[in-house]
Amino acid sequence: MSLLPGVRSATVDTDRLRMHYVESGPDDGTPIVMVHGNLSTGRFYEHLLPALPLSYQVIAPDMRGFGDTEPVPLDATRGLADWADDTHALLCALGITEPPHLVGWSTGGAAIARYAMNRPVASLTFIDPVSPYGFGGTHRDGTPCFADFAGSGGGTANPEVVARLAAGDDSADSPFCIRSIMRAAYWAPTHSEPADREDLLVAEVLKTLTGDDGYPGDATASENWPGTAPGSRGILNALSPKYCNWADIVDLEEKPPIMWTHGDADVVVADGSAWDLGTLGAAGEVPGWPGADAFPAQPMVSQIGDVLGRYVEAGGSVRTEIFAGSGHGPIFDARDRWLAVFIDFLTSLKTP
């Protein structure tokens, strides 16, 4: 599928890896960088770019392990720091020195928070971000259910999903096909992407680097339920609470303005995510669940709210926008409203 009017595609060599990205706007515009989530690419943002003001240079890269960016390994022990450093390297390669406005969807939320912990940014916009305490296996205060962080990481992936990704399955023949997963979880069930657009997004996800260095990553055997703990490579380990923690954003001396956008029908990032082993164990779908005291469903949205509340108490600014009826991606099922809110947020930050 060809690019939308006004959207360009390019590849550049950085000092870390070769990165592909789509972009819009002038080269000297105020930079916005949109970081996608797990099992997606920069083109998941493409439909937003033509509607953004022409005063912005908007860049949506394919992150390490996804899309047309060089398929290099991800060091999970750094959490999402590889993605943050890759984003900075891309801006350096493009000669952009102005602090960017950063947008992060899902996994991308942890990456932009990590970026802001080390470098100045103009603002942070979270779209249903992963919890500040990673994905899976923590109590509300972020403490792990088990000392080895069992129940998170690469070993928690459904092997059939991985096999179908590796085989390039673009059908909807099974709930484990990426097309079926997108329809069930990426947006609300009441929403349908146009057929050609859905085909494009499926094809983009099927470019994913699968295996120990990409999706899902490696795993470590555990004596704790459900018998698997994080490894050290690949995206699901980078999302494990063993390595992924952006709660320290509260301690930033210079606190960028934050906007948190969330679909209240999200089944991925939720207080009781449909993908969380605590939820699945309670439903009897993973044998041997030790009970809610030992391994509760992770209260992901509450954790986000807690950390951002502390950010405000520490002197930061947070705007919260809840999208009623939206799923994990209000940028899809509430596109026009999300764009209006985002543009209004950007406009409010401009110096009078």
Side-chain angles (χ1 to χ4, degrees), residues 209-237:
L209 173 65
T210 55
D212 287 351
D213 288 323
Y215 183 89
D218 62 345
T220 304
S222 173
E223 295 180 354
N224 298 309
W225 183 87
T228 183
S232 61
R233 300 150 61 192
I235 190 65
L236 291 193
N237 292 310

Side-chain angles (χ1 to χ4, degrees), residues 112-136:
I112 66 170
R114 180 54 54 189
Y115 187 110
M117 290 183 208
N118 295 297
R119 306 171 184 91
V121 301
S123 71
L124 297 172
T125 296
F126 295 114
I127 309 167
D128 294 72
V130 64
S131 164
Y133 305 112
F135 194 97

Side-chain angles (χ1 to χ4, degrees), residues 69-153:
T69 283
E70 183 180 0
V72 296
L74 178 69
D75 180 358
T77 66
R78 305 187 70 227
L80 272 296
D82 268 354
W83 276 23
D85 292 350
D86 291 346
T87 301
H88 180 64
L90 173 61
L91 294 179
C92 290
L94 296 177
I96 297 172
T97 58
E98 180 180 349
H101 296 278
L102 297 180
V103 178
W105 176 39
S106 195
T107 297
I112 66 170
R114 180 54 54 189
Y115 187 110
M117 290 183 208
N118 295 297
R119 306 171 184 91
V121 301
S123 71
L124 297 172
T125 296
F126 295 114
I127 309 167
D128 294 72
V130 64
S131 164
Y133 305 112
F135 194 97
T138 66
H139 299 279
R140 180 160 177 169
D141 64 358
T143 58
C145 297
F146 298 114
D148 63 354
F149 296 88
S152 68

Side-chain angles (χ1 to χ4, degrees), residues 308-334:
L308 294 183
R310 294 201 300 271
Y311 189 84
V312 172
E313 291 172 357
S317 169
V318 175
R319 174 174 172 176
T320 300
E321 296 285 346
I322 304 299
F323 292 77
S326 283
H328 190 51
I331 55 173
F332 302 105
D333 57 29

